[in-house]
C-alpha cells in the first residue's frame, strides 16, 4: 500500500512536469505559426507569379503564331510587290514611248 502523501507528491511533480512541458510547447508554437504564415505567404506569391508567367507565355505563343502567319504571307506579298513594280515599270515605259 502506497502512502497517500507520497502519491500526492508524485502526482504534483507529474502535474508540474506536464505544465512545464505544455508551456515549452506553447513557446515553440508561436514561432512555428509565424513560419507557417510566412511560408503560406510565399506560396501565395509563387502561385501568383506562376499564373502571371503562364499568362505571359500564352501571350508570347499568340504573338509568335501571329508573326509566323505574317512571315508565311511574305513570299506572296513580295510576289505582289514585284508584279506591281513590273506593272508600274511597263506603264512608265509605255508613257515614255507615247510622249516621245
Amino acid at each position: 500500500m502506497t502512502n497517500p502523501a507520497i502519491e500526492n507528491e508524485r502526482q504534483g511533480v507529474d502535474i508540474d512536469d506536464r505544465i512545464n512541458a505544455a508551456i515549452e510547447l506553447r513557446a515553440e508554437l508561436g514561432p512555428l505559426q509565424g513560419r507557417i504564415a510566412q511560408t503560406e505567404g510565399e506560396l501565395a506569391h509563387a502561385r501568383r507569379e506562376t499564373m502571371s508567367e503562364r499568362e505571359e507565355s500564352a501571350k508570347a505563343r499568340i504573338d509568335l503564331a501571329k508573326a509566323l502567319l505574317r512571315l508565311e504571307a511574305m513570299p506572296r506579298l513580295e510576289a505582289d510587290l514585284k508584279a506591281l513594280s513590273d506593272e508600274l515599270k511597263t506603264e512608265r515605259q509605255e508613257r515614255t514611248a507615247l510622249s516621245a
Side-chain angles (χ1 to χ4, degrees), residues 52-62:
S52 175
E53 288 176 4
R54 283 181 183 165
E55 290 171 359
E56 288 176 19
S57 176
K59 288 177 186 175
R61 282 192 299 273
I62 290 169

Side-chain angles (χ1 to χ4, degrees), residues 1-3 6 9 18 28 37 41-42 50-51 61 71-72 78 80 82 92:
M1 208 178 230
T2 60
N3 184 340
I6 293 173
E9 181 66 27
R18 289 177 188 231
E28 291 175 17
E42 291 170 355
T50 300
M51 184 59 76
R61 282 192 299 273
L71 185 59
E72 288 173 4
E78 287 173 344
D80 290 349
K82 172 94 169 88
R92 283 186 181 157

Side-chain angles (χ1 to χ4, degrees), residues 4-83:
I6 293 173
E7 182 61 24
N8 281 346
E9 181 66 27
R10 187 191 64 74
Q11 287 179 355
V13 169
D14 187 43
I15 290 171
D16 287 343
D17 288 345
R18 289 177 188 231
I19 289 172
N20 289 334
I23 291 170
E24 288 176 14
L25 289 173
R26 284 194 181 118
E28 291 175 17
L29 182 61
L32 291 174
Q33 288 174 327
R35 284 178 42 200
I36 288 171
Q38 179 182 357
T39 302
E40 286 174 342
E42 291 170 355
L43 177 60
H45 176 73
R47 284 183 174 155
R48 286 189 303 272
E49 208 171 74
T50 300
M51 184 59 76
S52 175
E53 288 176 4
R54 283 181 183 165
E55 290 171 359
E56 288 176 19
S57 176
K59 288 177 186 175
R61 282 192 299 273
I62 290 169
D63 290 344
L64 177 60
K66 289 177 181 178
L68 288 173
L69 286 173
R70 278 187 239 123
L71 185 59
E72 288 173 4
M74 278 305 249
R76 182 181 49 82
L77 292 173
E78 287 173 344
D80 290 349
L81 180 61
K82 172 94 169 88

